[in-house]
Amino acid sequence: MTMKHSVCLLEAVNLALASEMRKDEDIVLLGEDIGVNGGVFRATANLRDEFGLKRVMDTPLAESMIAGLSIGMSTQGLKPIAEIQFMGFIFPALEHIICHAARMRNRTRGRLSCPLVIRAPFGGGIHAPEHHSESTEALLAHIPGLKVVIPSSPTRAYGLLLGAIRDPDPVIFLEPKRIYRSVHQEIEDNGEALPLGRCFTLREGKDITLVSWGAMITETLSAAELLSEQGIQCEVIDVASISPLDTETILASVRKTGRLVIIHEASKNLGLGAEIAATVAEKSLLDLQAPIARVAGYDTVMPYFRMENHFMPNTQDIIDSVNQTLEFV
Amino acid sequence: MTMKHSVCLLEAVNLALASEMRKDEDIVLLGEDIGVNGGVFRATANLRDEFGLKRVMDTPLAESMIAGLSIGMSTQGLKPIAEIQFMGFIFPALEHIICHAARMRNRTRGRLSCPLVIRAPFGGGIHAPEHHSESTEALLAHIPGLKVVIPSSPTRAYGLLLGAIRDPDPVIFLEPKRIYRSVHQEIEDNGEALPLGRCFTLREGKDITLVSWGAMITETLSAAELLSEQGIQCEVIDVASISPLDTETILASVRKTGRLVIIHEASKNLGLGAEIAATVAEKSLLDLQAPIARVAGYDTVMPYFRMENHFMPNTQDIIDSVNQTLEFV
Amino acid sequence: MTTHNILQYLDPEGTPTQTLPQWCSSPDWLLRCYHYMVLARQFDTKAIALQRTGQMGTYASLLGSEAIDVSVGLSMSSEDVLVPYYRNHACQIIRGMPIDEAFLYWGGDERGNASAAMQKDFPNAVPIATQSLHACGVATAMKVRNQKRATITLIGDGGTSKGDFMEALNIAGVWQLPVVFIINNNQWAISVPRKIQTAATQLADKAVAAGIPGMQVDGNDVIAMREAVDSALQRAYEGKGPTLIEAVSYRLSDHTTADDATRYRSNDELKEAWEREPIKRLRNFMVLSQFWDENKEQALLQEINQLIQQAADDYLTRGIQPVESMFDYLYAELPDHLIEQRDWAIVRAMKGGSHYQEGE
Amino acid sequence: MTTHNILQYLDPEGTPTQTLPQWCSSPDWLLRCYHYMVLARQFDTKAIALQRTGQMGTYASLLGSEAIDVSVGLSMSSEDVLVPYYRNHACQIIRGMPIDEAFLYWGGDERGNASAAMQKDFPNAVPIATQSLHACGVATAMKVRNQKRATITLIGDGGTSKGDFMEALNIAGVWQLPVVFIINNNQWAISVPRKIQTAATQLADKAVAAGIPGMQVDGNDVIAMREAVDSALQRAYEGKGPTLIEAVSYRLSDHTTADDATRYRSNDELKEAWEREPIKRLRNFMVLSQFWDENKEQALLQEINQLIQQAADDYLTRGIQPVESMFDYLYAELPDHLIEQRDWAIVRAMKGGSHYQEGE
Ligand SMILES: Cc1ncc(C[n+]2csc(CCOP(=O)(O)OP(=O)(O)O)c2C)c(N)n1
Ligand SMILES: Cc1ncc(C[n+]2csc(CCOP(=O)(O)OP(=O)(O)O)c2C)c(N)n1
Ligand SMILES: [Mg+2]
Ligand SMILES: [Mg+2]
């Protein structure tokens, strides 16, 4: 019998890590402050005590190094799960991620591969210092050979992280830190993974399709709830795996509703919303009864925290956009 | 009286560098092998001889360093023009480009700024080794605070590079190496810059809009020429400044033609084509008489050179796509 | 392996351990130094109080690095350029950053980096070790222009592990740049102790890889710090190239207000470190030298208390920036596609808009 | 500054400069070594010829680094892992890479990295210095699993300036990893001479920054190379941690076939470097030791000539990969959105398709 745990998203990450590390000796964790300290957000709390120094490694401060080490380890059969302390510090690791992790299997025609997970908290809304609030997931989603996964609830964090760890290819697992602790859910630690590469339809509706991921799912669901009180039925899709993208689910929904609003926190220009909109415009143009709207962050630098709320879309913005899209004739 | 030079794109770059360096003492060049060797493609040939060691600096091998140095210099009033030997090696420099060059002005509310240019050859088609053929311009175009410019002819290389050097903000200048030497044009070295942030309409037409940039402009123009023999009039737009994007020119053209094909060598998923398609789908949906088509590289890693031609779109692909778009009713 | 003898003039009790430099016989510099060290500490106390009461954001305390910050601040000329990391508020204040704007930065407001008084000094840098390279760029500009100026840049012990730092030492060596690298070796990088950062005997050894001089200095001893920084600056001014100074200190605070250091380090270690702290050491020496007494101490504390309180008040009454400031400093000129977004941001922030906030 | 004495046993003429290791009295190892060095050189000659005649792509010659490559290849056990840079074809061939597939790689075909015979060795790495960190990851896997194995990774002198290399030395030092770093200091990074890379006296000094042992070795002297590599491997097997070896050589070729070194370096320097080249040195010593004579030389040259010719023929007759191979190795399983692109690629490559090429 497995126990039920009432956990927040952050604890769900911890639960999934512990659960899988018990089953698979090849899993090792590495990153800055993940050991004794249990991570600056405590995502790896207690794991050093349970699994010891050899499986939970505090590294010196160097993200390029963390990625490079992970690549080396993964080719030899270990399953590294690296933490980048904040997504704003992932840039030094990009050369390794783009040139090696994403290419090893292809480059060696399958002789070597890089089954690894790189976890990083991302997104704004917690009044953190500069570079602690970015949403640059689109940069990673553009790279062939990577998978990029973003959970939006404790349940999906648990299931998707297990899916990411078991995946034979490199997965970037981005954790929306704004909702790290906001919601608790009952989770059974049953080791059941959720599939990567699939959207989750969180709410069915016939009037309009709302597509989002990560922390913005919260506002998207609130908007859908409020709109339902006005008789508007929104279909809410959590993209979850932003790469590879499950376009089928989105297209099917748009075929049904004829209207699409995409919501994301990242800057609008070349955010993932662009790809979703382009794909729909390419494959389902005739199904559209209104222009595709994107509710997104501005094309400017995420401001320091005193103004960060002005940058990020909120529930009202989504409602406004939905109303506008519905009014279009 | 200024002299006319018959130059290829590569020589146009050299001409613009020399021309502006003569006028502006603050301009310095730095990069790997740009000095005595004049650059692996010879873009900086003879400049070391003319301007000396202090203005043409061979650096040790480290791209993060090249970008970091450039940032430091530019804040103090120098105008560094850095060369990254191939765009495939720009990744170590991204932290500096994204976190500092693109943000310095904003971060200091205008007290400091980073007027610098980072040049890099990019794109496939010259049978080069791995990592010498990528087109990851979309990564840079997603970053607020940068400008990203791509010439597609000797004339535009000369004019746009002058524009980039004189720009008060950081500009990434990507040179399509496949057409480095393919075409010669007569250029008057008159120091006249072309504006950044503007598309160039290379050919007017009423039937369909073709949007492209860089080396693919060659195939796009060929396709337009061949199609014109069948009586199809293509409007060809060279985006040139992929960030900030001149959406007005594109939208105006689509309003006229009602049909749009976007052509790029980079992977399709989240390539710049996605943003262009999304913008059109958002702002000009009702003008569209057919779905927006993207003729682009596959969502896979650019293969080693023996197969690179299979990856890149060609003239026939563009013609096919245009015909398909025109047939749509 | 190399070993450098650590440079020290005062022991933890403020007693000289060797013949002091000539300038120590006059109180001038020492008094200024003490003034700013006390100011630094009071700034720190106030900042933490503001954070704890929800009036400021996450804050990186400089408790324990006052001697480093202040000696660097005092040794630099206004012509020099400072390229700081995120723990150099005291140095920044000495160089002209208004105290209220130092608070403002930690309050999450870009105007904290904007003061014209900061001249060409760099703003705080959060991405670790990147500043080391920027400093080399700044120094290159000085060198290209044949100026007799220098650049000083600071970094933590953790930061020395990141490639950028080593790339910076290297280019400074090859190009013989007028730059001084100062490592604030406070023994901890958040929860990671110095010995887990590197197997190098001393952080000053990093200099060997770049063929530049490196030295280890007692970072709790302002006299040693001044000597080291002055001579490094002198070398830079004279075209003799870069210097690496490892200043050995201890992070007496949590990493930031978001951290809880008791989770990973022992109380004993902390208590012991307090024995070596820089302010007491200098005060003892000044008392010993009869430059200082309890009356002066009280007067100073009160003076600075007022200064800090005033700055905090100024900070707290500073209104938020207009929402369009998000756009207005991105480029020198606003690109067309941002005009629409800027207008929209203004509308959203207005009464009735989706982002309207009472009282802004 | 540290200074290491360079390790050398044979002078440029092949005359011993000090007492030789015991194993030198038997011809076994030396003959194998010579065999592979000659093979390396003939491979090189053939590769350049193939490139010049348009039958291969840009090629990085290993002329002048035969002693380094071969001694490393021979010293490693098959249990060890090689993490090469792009100039280690000889080492890769010794470790099992089929010679025709070595050509294939430079012919622009991913199958050149695919041979099962390469086991867990890394493929060629074009992005400079990244391999140093991969090697540390490989060595970490060995250490975590308590295996008595080691990792060897190579890099150029230019590569030592990139942050990754220093980060790699550093982590290897902290974690005491079973890894051997070998710098092929061939004096040039394309057109940039060694002295413009770093002000360090020796590249071996880079080790000091990481607190690990470093040594400088004559990279044209196989005996010195074997001694250095063997003892570094031994240290690694025994859990004593990493070693840095700077192998001093000279790039006798252009950087690659796309380069023209006469643009930036003098003929005199090159001529002088040829005096020190590794193959002649070993041959002279073997002749001196009566292990070798002209008959043997001719027989060997002919044997290897045949081998290389055969490999080149095999390479040239190797068909192109099926176009769908672009997709089939991207992920373990083809994601849905690529099915359509894959089908499309196949159609485009077929007769009548936009990418049809005669004879493919
Ligand atoms: C590139 C990068 N990675 C990670 C972080 C997160 N981080 C902030 S401070 C810190 C520790 C820094 O320690 P140290 O360099 O010793 O400086 P100290 O804070 O002790 O003064 C870390 C890991 C960061 N800011 N930048
Ligand atoms: C990160 C990166 N930057 C630039 C290049 C281009 N490049 C290829 S080889 C080379 C010089 C390398 O010199 P060195 O490390 O001394 O090795 P060598 O070729 O001399 O053996 C350069 C700059 C690259 N491959 N990777
Ligand atoms: Mg520290
Ligand atoms: Mg070299």
Side-chain angles (χ1 to χ4, degrees):
Chain A
M1 222 197 72
T2 48
M3 244 174 54
K4 286 237 178 190
H5 305 258
S6 170
V7 294
C8 63
L9 199 157
L10 185 63
E11 293 159 341
V13 167
N14 186 269
L15 199 64
L17 292 174
S19 174
E20 201 65 0
M21 287 181 80
R22 283 181 207 122
K23 289 188 201 140
D24 185 349
E25 291 250 306
D26 286 329
I27 298 172
V28 296
L29 309 188
L30 69 161
E32 296 158 9
D33 305 291
I34 66 158
V36 185
N37 197 35
V40 293
F41 284 103
R42 321 276 300 129
T44 54
N46 308 318
L47 300 181
R48 166 81 155 248
D49 284 347
E50 179 171 354
F51 300 102
L53 267 165
K54 282 206 168 172
R55 294 186 64 195
V56 183
M57 316 181 198
D58 271 325
T59 65
L61 202 164
E63 286 75 14
S64 177
M65 184 202 72
I66 292 171
L69 283 175
S70 302
I71 288 163
M73 290 187 225
S74 65
T75 59
Q76 309 298 309
L78 286 188
K79 279 234 161 184
I81 304 176
E83 177 176 298
I84 299 291
Q85 205 160 75
F86 288 89
M87 194 198 193
F89 307 133
I90 205 170
F91 304 117
L94 284 186
E95 180 177 40
H96 284 275
I97 294 172
I98 295 175
C99 299
H100 298 290
R103 293 178 183 219
M104 191 62 78
R105 182 187 295 281
N106 187 63
R107 176 180 288 153
T108 61
R109 303 282 94 166
R111 181 171 61 85
L112 299 180
S113 61
C114 290
L116 58 85
V117 178
I118 296 179
R119 298 176 38 247
F122 84 116
I126 64 158
H127 274 211
E130 200 187 5
H131 292 291
H132 291 67
S133 304
E134 19 268 295
S135 300
T136 42
E137 70 269 21
L139 299 184
L140 297 157
H142 182 49
I143 304 302
L146 295 180
K147 297 185 178 182
V148 186
V149 177
I150 301 177
S152 67
S153 73
T155 322
R156 278 186 296 282
Y158 177 82
L160 288 171
L161 184 49
L162 291 184
I165 300 172
R166 292 177 198 163
D167 197 272
D169 287 303
V171 181
I172 314 291
F173 192 83
L174 300 174
E175 300 166 6
K177 67 173 109 61
R178 178 153 62 88
I179 55 167
Y180 253 163
R181 295 192 176 90
S182 57
V183 180
H184 280 71
Q185 288 177 332
E186 291 279 310
I187 293 190
E188 207 177 317
D189 182 11
N190 56 11
E192 276 177 28
L194 286 168
L196 308 193
R198 292 281 161 262
C199 296
F200 296 90
T201 303
L202 303 184
R203 187 180 175 118
E204 305 212 346
K206 62 172 182 35
D207 296 326
I208 189 165
T209 302
L210 309 186
V211 171
S212 189
W213 53 92
M216 287 309 298
I217 286 291
T218 311
E219 282 76 14
T220 304
L221 285 172
S222 303
E225 187 59 36
L226 289 165
L227 286 160
S228 81
E229 291 167 14
Q230 300 167 34
I232 297 164
Q233 295 180 26
C234 302
E235 181 135 309
V236 175
I237 295 178
D238 177 1
V239 175
S241 284
I242 67 163
S243 173
L245 190 63
D246 169 13
T247 50
E248 269 323 305
T249 303
I250 297 170
L251 288 171
S253 177
V254 173
R255 264 179 235 126
K256 181 170 78 175
T257 65
R259 294 172 200 263
L260 173 61
V261 176
I262 305 159
I263 301 107
H264 59 73
E265 192 177 310
S267 287
K268 184 177 182 180
N269 174 39
L270 271 168
L272 183 70
E275 180 57 37
I276 295 173
T279 303
V280 172
E282 201 167 343
K283 305 218 168 167
S284 277
L285 188 78
L286 295 192
D287 299 308
L288 286 173
Q289 289 160 36
I292 302 168
R294 287 182 282 166
V295 177
Y298 296 117
D299 293 319
T300 186
V301 172
M302 171 58 115
Y304 285 12
F305 67 77
R306 215 169 158 193
M307 298 227 300
E308 65 174 343
N309 284 334
H310 283 284
F311 181 92
M312 296 189 296
N314 65 19
T315 305
Q316 189 58 46
D317 293 323
I318 302 169
I319 292 173
D320 291 347
S321 182
V322 166
N323 283 328
Q324 216 186 318
T325 305
L326 286 170
E327 279 156 25
F328 186 91
V329 273
Chain B
M1 218 199 72
T2 49
M3 241 173 56
K4 286 232 176 193
H5 305 257
S6 170
V7 294
C8 63
L9 200 156
L10 185 63
E11 292 159 343
V13 166
N14 187 269
L15 199 65
L17 292 173
S19 175
E20 200 65 2
M21 286 182 81
R22 283 182 206 121
K23 291 189 196 138
D24 185 347
E25 290 251 308
D26 287 329
I27 298 172
V28 295
L29 309 188
L30 69 161
E32 297 158 8
D33 305 292
I34 66 157
V36 184
N37 196 36
V40 292
F41 284 102
R42 319 277 300 130
T44 55
N46 308 318
L47 301 180
R48 165 81 155 249
D49 283 347
E50 177 169 355
F51 300 102
L53 268 166
K54 280 204 169 173
R55 293 185 65 197
V56 183
M57 315 180 198
D58 270 325
T59 65
L61 202 165
E63 286 75 13
S64 177
M65 184 202 71
I66 292 171
L69 284 174
S70 302
I71 288 163
M73 291 186 222
S74 65
T75 59
Q76 310 298 308
L78 287 188
K79 279 232 162 184
I81 305 176
E83 175 176 301
I84 299 290
Q85 205 161 75
F86 288 89
M87 194 197 195
F89 308 132
I90 206 172
F91 304 118
L94 285 185
E95 179 176 42
H96 284 275
I97 295 172
I98 295 175
C99 299
H100 297 290
R103 293 179 184 218
M104 189 63 76
R105 182 187 295 279
N106 186 63
R107 176 181 287 153
T108 61
R109 304 282 94 166
R111 180 170 62 85
L112 299 181
S113 61
C114 291
L116 58 85
V117 178
I118 297 180
R119 299 175 40 248
F122 84 116
I126 64 157
H127 275 210
E130 200 186 7
H131 293 291
H132 291 66
S133 305
E134 16 269 296
S135 300
T136 42
E137 69 269 21
L139 299 183
L140 296 157
H142 181 48
I143 304 302
L146 295 181
K147 297 186 178 181
V148 186
V149 177
I150 301 176
S152 66
S153 73
T155 322
R156 280 187 294 283
Y158 176 82
L160 288 170
L161 183 50
L162 290 183
I165 298 173
R166 294 176 196 163
D167 197 274
D169 287 303
V171 181
I172 314 291
F173 192 82
L174 300 175
E175 301 166 5
K177 68 173 107 61
R178 180 153 60 88
I179 56 168
Y180 253 162
R181 298 192 174 90
S182 57
V183 181
H184 281 69
Q185 288 177 332
E186 290 280 308
I187 293 189
E188 207 177 318
D189 182 12
N190 57 10
E192 277 177 29
L194 286 169
L196 307 194
R198 293 281 161 262
C199 296
F200 296 89
T201 303
L202 302 185
R203 187 183 177 113
E204 305 211 348
K206 61 172 186 28
D207 296 326
I208 189 164
T209 302
L210 308 187
V211 172
S212 190
W213 54 92
M216 288 307 301
I217 286 289
T218 312
E219 282 76 15
T220 304
L221 285 172
S222 302
E225 187 58 34
L226 289 167
L227 286 160
S228 81
E229 291 167 15
Q230 301 167 34
I232 298 164
Q233 296 180 26
C234 300
E235 182 137 310
V236 175
I237 296 178
D238 177 1
V239 175
S241 283
I242 67 164
S243 172
L245 190 63
D246 169 12
T247 51
E248 268 325 305
T249 303
I250 297 169
L251 287 171
S253 178
V254 172
R255 264 180 236 124
K256 182 171 77 172
T257 64
R259 296 174 200 260
L260 174 60
V261 176
I262 305 160
I263 301 106
H264 60 72
E265 191 177 312
S267 286
K268 183 177 185 181
N269 174 39
L270 271 166
L272 183 69
E275 180 58 36
I276 295 173
T279 303
V280 173
E282 201 167 343
K283 307 221 167 162
S284 276
L285 189 77
L286 295 191
D287 297 309
L288 286 174
Q289 289 158 37
I292 301 167
R294 288 182 279 166
V295 177
Y298 296 117
D299 294 319
T300 186
V301 172
M302 170 61 112
Y304 285 13
F305 68 78
R306 216 171 158 191
M307 297 226 300
E308 68 176 340
N309 283 336
H310 283 285
F311 181 91
M312 296 189 297
N314 65 17
T315 305
Q316 188 57 48
D317 293 322
I318 301 170
I319 293 174
D320 291 347
S321 182
V322 167
N323 283 328
Q324 215 186 320
T325 305
L326 287 169
E327 280 157 22
F328 186 90
V329 274
Chain C
M1 302 296 113
T2 58
T3 39
H4 312 267
N5 289 326
I6 188 164
L7 183 69
Q8 193 199 53
Y9 287 94
L10 301 179
D11 75 8
E13 295 310 314
T15 317
T17 54
Q18 59 165 308
T19 319
L20 297 179
Q22 184 52 43
W23 55 265
C24 292
S25 53
S26 133
D28 302 3
W29 191 89
L30 294 164
L31 290 178
R32 282 179 66 216
C33 189
Y34 191 67
H35 171 96
Y36 280 114
M37 284 169 79
V38 170
L39 190 155
R41 193 157 292 181
Q42 287 205 20
F43 175 88
D44 208 67
T45 311
K46 176 59 79 181
I48 290 169
L50 287 168
Q51 192 280 333
R52 296 274 185 248
T53 53
Q55 299 174 93
M56 216 179 68
T58 302
Y59 169 73
S61 162
L62 50 66
L63 203 66
S65 60
E66 295 88 351
I68 299 170
D69 249 46
V70 172
S71 60
V72 169
L74 292 179
S75 285
M76 288 176 78
S77 103
S78 68
E79 292 292 287
D80 297 333
V81 171
L82 173 71
V83 185
Y85 79 124
Y86 49 78
R87 214 183 279 283
N88 300 126
H89 345 312
C91 190
Q92 291 174 313
I93 288 169
I94 293 171
R95 289 186 54 78
M97 183 194 251
I99 302 175
D100 58 324
E101 298 197 353
F103 286 130
L104 197 60
Y105 171 79
W106 296 101
D109 191 316
E110 289 85 352
R111 289 172 299 182
N113 286 323
S115 172
M118 294 170 76
Q119 301 193 52
K120 295 285 182 192
D121 283 3
F122 263 55
N124 292 331
V126 171
I128 291 196
T130 51
Q131 74 277 11
S132 309
L133 284 167
H134 304 160
C136 290
V138 173
T140 304
M142 294 171 174
K143 176 142 187 159
V144 165
R145 290 168 163 166
N146 292 315
Q147 296 167 333
K148 216 179 148 162
R149 300 163 63 202
T151 310
I152 294 199
T153 186
L154 295 101
I155 193 168
D157 44 314
T160 65
S161 299
K162 189 156 171 272
D164 290 45
F165 176 69
M166 295 305 298
E167 291 180 0
L169 295 189
N170 192 57
I171 190 67
V174 185
W175 288 359
Q176 287 294 292
L177 297 175
V179 57
V180 182
F181 300 95
I182 296 173
I183 303 170
N184 176 356
N185 176 5
N186 65 9
Q187 312 303 328
W188 291 90
I190 309 186
S191 71
V192 179
R194 155 66 183 83
K195 71 172 180 301
I196 294 193
Q197 282 301 335
T198 182
T201 319
Q202 300 184 352
L203 296 180
D205 286 353
K206 304 262 172 186
V208 178
I212 68 173
M215 62 190 299
Q216 201 181 47
V217 180
D218 186 333
N220 288 316
D221 174 354
V222 287
I223 300 177
M225 279 304 301
R226 177 177 166 178
E227 283 294 292
V229 175
D230 277 356
S231 75
L233 280 173
Q234 209 46 49
R235 276 178 43 83
Y237 297 146
E238 289 169 7
K240 293 188 180 150
T243 309
L244 173 65
I245 296 172
E246 176 190 359
V248 180
S249 73
Y250 192 89
R251 197 192 76 209
L252 295 168
S253 62
D254 292 335
H255 170 67
T256 65
T257 52
D259 176 51
D260 172 8
T262 60
R263 279 214 296 260
Y264 52 79
R265 68 180 184 189
S266 79
N267 242 325
D268 287 355
E269 181 183 304
L270 181 62
K271 238 176 90 183
E272 215 190 282
W274 270 106
E275 306 285 309
R276 300 188 300 272
E277 73 98 358
I279 298 192
K280 182 193 71 182
R281 190 180 307 199
L282 175 55
R283 185 171 50 234
N284 283 359
F285 172 70
M286 292 205 305
V287 170
L288 209 73
S289 311
Q290 296 183 314
F291 299 159
W292 203 246
D293 59 31
E294 188 56 25
N295 285 343
K296 287 183 176 149
E297 176 81 10
Q298 288 312 322
L300 179 69
L301 289 179
Q302 212 189 318
E303 176 198 338
I304 285 176
N305 194 18
Q306 263 174 359
L307 202 68
I308 295 290
Q309 188 57 51
Q310 184 59 50
D313 290 345
D314 291 348
Y315 156 63
L316 289 169
T317 53
R318 192 86 173 246
I320 198 168
Q321 299 176 87
V323 67
E324 60 270 28
S325 66
M326 265 197 276
F327 298 93
D328 291 345
Y329 301 98
L330 192 62
Y331 298 97
E333 229 181 290
L334 195 71
D336 290 352
H337 77 290
L338 286 180
I339 297 176
E340 200 182 315
Q341 293 192 7
R342 182 177 184 274
D343 291 347
W344 179 227
I346 295 172
V347 170
R348 291 211 298 180
M350 282 176 1
K351 197 153 186 170
S354 62
H355 284 244
Y356 173 68
Q357 275 171 262
E358 200 81 46
E360 260 184 23
Chain D
M1 301 296 115
T2 56
T3 37
H4 312 268
N5 288 326
I6 188 165
L7 184 69
Q8 193 199 55
Y9 286 95
L10 301 180
D11 75 8
E13 296 309 314
T15 319
T17 54
Q18 59 166 308
T19 318
L20 297 180
Q22 183 52 44
W23 56 263
C24 293
S25 55
S26 133
D28 303 1
W29 190 90
L30 294 165
L31 290 178
R32 281 177 66 215
C33 188
Y34 190 69
H35 171 97
Y36 281 113
M37 284 168 77
V38 171
L39 190 155
R41 192 154 293 179
Q42 289 207 19
F43 175 88
D44 209 65
T45 311
K46 176 59 78 180
I48 291 169
L50 288 168
Q51 192 281 332
R52 296 276 185 248
T53 53
Q55 300 174 94
M56 216 180 69
T58 301
Y59 169 72
S61 162
L62 50 67
L63 203 66
S65 60
E66 295 88 350
I68 299 170
D69 248 46
V70 172
S71 60
V72 169
L74 292 179
S75 284
M76 290 178 76
S77 102
S78 68
E79 292 293 286
D80 298 334
V81 171
L82 172 72
V83 185
Y85 79 126
Y86 49 78
R87 215 182 279 285
N88 300 128
H89 346 310
C91 191
Q92 290 174 315
I93 289 169
I94 293 172
R95 288 185 56 74
M97 184 193 250
I99 301 175
D100 59 324
E101 299 198 351
F103 287 130
L104 197 60
Y105 171 79
W106 296 100
D109 191 314
E110 289 84 354
R111 288 172 299 181
N113 286 321
S115 171
M118 295 171 74
Q119 300 193 52
K120 295 287 182 189
D121 283 2
F122 264 54
N124 290 333
V126 171
I128 291 197
T130 51
Q131 76 277 10
S132 309
L133 284 167
H134 304 159
C136 291
V138 172
T140 305
M142 293 170 174
K143 176 143 185 159
V144 164
R145 289 167 164 167
N146 292 314
Q147 296 166 334
K148 215 177 152 167
R149 300 164 63 202
T151 310
I152 293 198
T153 186
L154 295 101
I155 192 168
D157 45 314
T160 65
S161 298
K162 188 156 173 270
D164 290 46
F165 177 68
M166 295 306 298
E167 291 180 0
L169 295 189
N170 193 56
I171 191 66
V174 185
W175 288 0
Q176 287 293 291
L177 297 175
V179 58
V180 181
F181 300 95
I182 296 173
I183 302 171
N184 176 357
N185 176 5
N186 63 10
Q187 312 303 330
W188 292 90
I190 308 186
S191 71
V192 179
R194 154 67 184 81
K195 70 172 182 301
I196 294 192
Q197 282 301 335
T198 183
T201 319
Q202 301 185 350
L203 297 179
D205 286 353
K206 304 261 170 185
V208 179
I212 68 172
M215 63 192 297
Q216 202 181 47
V217 180
D218 186 332
N220 288 316
D221 173 354
V222 288
I223 299 177
M225 279 304 301
R226 176 177 167 178
E227 283 294 293
V229 174
D230 276 355
S231 76
L233 280 173
Q234 207 48 47
R235 277 177 43 83
Y237 297 147
E238 288 169 6
K240 291 187 181 150
T243 309
L244 173 65
I245 296 171
E246 176 191 0
V248 179
S249 73
Y250 191 87
R251 198 193 74 209
L252 295 168
S253 62
D254 292 334
H255 171 67
T256 64
T257 50
D259 177 51
D260 172 8
T262 60
R263 279 214 296 260
Y264 51 78
R265 69 179 185 191
S266 78
N267 243 326
D268 287 355
E269 182 182 305
L270 181 62
K271 236 176 91 184
E272 213 189 286
W274 270 105
E275 306 285 309
R276 299 190 300 275
E277 73 100 356
I279 297 191
K280 180 193 72 181
R281 189 180 308 201
L282 175 55
R283 186 173 49 233
N284 284 359
F285 173 69
M286 292 205 306
V287 170
L288 210 73
S289 310
Q290 297 181 313
F291 300 158
W292 202 246
D293 58 32
E294 189 53 29
N295 286 342
K296 286 181 180 153
E297 177 80 10
Q298 289 311 322
L300 180 69
L301 290 179
Q302 209 188 321
E303 176 197 338
I304 286 175
N305 194 18
Q306 263 175 358
L307 203 67
I308 296 290
Q309 190 55 53
Q310 183 60 51
D313 291 345
D314 290 349
Y315 154 65
L316 289 169
T317 52
R318 193 87 171 244
I320 199 169
Q321 299 176 86
V323 68
E324 61 269 28
S325 66
M326 267 198 273
F327 298 94
D328 291 345
Y329 300 99
L330 192 62
Y331 299 98
E333 231 181 288
L334 194 72
D336 289 352
H337 78 291
L338 286 180
I339 296 176
E340 201 181 313
Q341 294 192 5
R342 183 178 183 275
D343 289 348
W344 181 225
I346 295 173
V347 170
R348 292 211 298 179
M350 282 177 357
K351 196 153 185 167
S354 61
H355 284 244
Y356 174 68
Q357 276 171 261
E358 199 81 43
E360 259 185 21

